Amino acid sequence: MKLMSGRRYKKDLSDIVGILNEQKRIEKPLDYNKIDRAVRDLYDSWNGISVYTTEVLKAALESENLEELFEEQVREEEASRQEVLRIQKYDKTKITGSNIDDIINMALNKKTKVKKNSE
């Protein structure tokens, strides 16, 4: 269900990494085939799962250090959450489920460019 939600400004993606890490810790790791079967059983296909969420999942499945990836994901989610809150407060852009990833990407890219220019 976290895959389907895949909200970059909530704890969905860090939860995915955390679940994979916990399963690995208890020596019952999840692999792509198990996750694929669950997604298909629950949702019939991967169509409702965002490309970004799928990329995070694949990175986590390939990662040697899930704790580090988890911390990185937590930081990114917090930055995304802050941008969503800022936009809601100061910008006239209407945030919807269909445009939120684009808005987060634009805001974070703008923030990265400003940071690089100030260095």
Side-chain angles (χ1 to χ4, degrees):
M1 290 176 11
K2 291 290 185 173
L3 285 170
M4 184 59 81
S5 297
R7 296 167 295 188
R8 293 174 64 177
Y9 57 98
K10 297 273 186 172
K11 297 188 183 289
D12 292 336
L13 302 173
S14 61
D15 282 350
I16 291 167
V17 177
I19 290 165
L20 292 173
N21 190 42
E22 181 61 16
Q23 289 300 122
K24 184 178 178 181
R25 187 189 69 74
I26 64 171
E27 298 180 3
K28 293 184 179 180
L30 295 172
D31 61 21
Y32 184 81
N33 290 332
K34 288 178 186 175
I35 295 167
D36 181 57
R37 186 172 51 244
V39 167
R40 291 180 189 283
D41 286 349
L42 288 169
Y43 306 111
D44 295 322
S45 75
W46 286 80
N47 290 341
I49 298 173
S50 77
V51 171
Y52 185 81
T53 301
T54 304
E55 289 172 358
V56 170
L57 173 64
K58 287 179 180 177
L61 289 170
E62 294 171 4
S63 177
E64 294 294 321
N65 190 341
L66 288 170
E67 284 113 15
E68 184 177 303
L69 185 61
F70 174 82
E71 292 300 324
E72 180 182 316
Q73 197 58 55
V74 167
R75 286 189 298 274
E76 186 169 319
E77 287 168 341
E78 181 57 24
S80 296
R81 188 180 75 78
Q82 291 300 324
E83 287 303 319
V84 168
L85 291 174
R86 185 190 65 75
I87 288 167
Q88 286 177 331
K89 186 173 182 179
Y90 298 110
D91 199 325
K92 295 185 187 319
T93 304
K94 182 168 172 63
I95 298 176
T96 65
S98 62
N99 72 357
I100 194 158
D101 278 346
D102 292 335
I103 290 171
I104 289 170
N105 284 335
M106 287 183 343
L108 293 177
N109 287 338
K110 182 187 279 185
K111 198 173 195 176
T112 301
K113 285 179 185 176
V114 168
K115 187 176 180 182
K116 284 182 181 178
N117 288 337
S118 67
E119 291 175 348

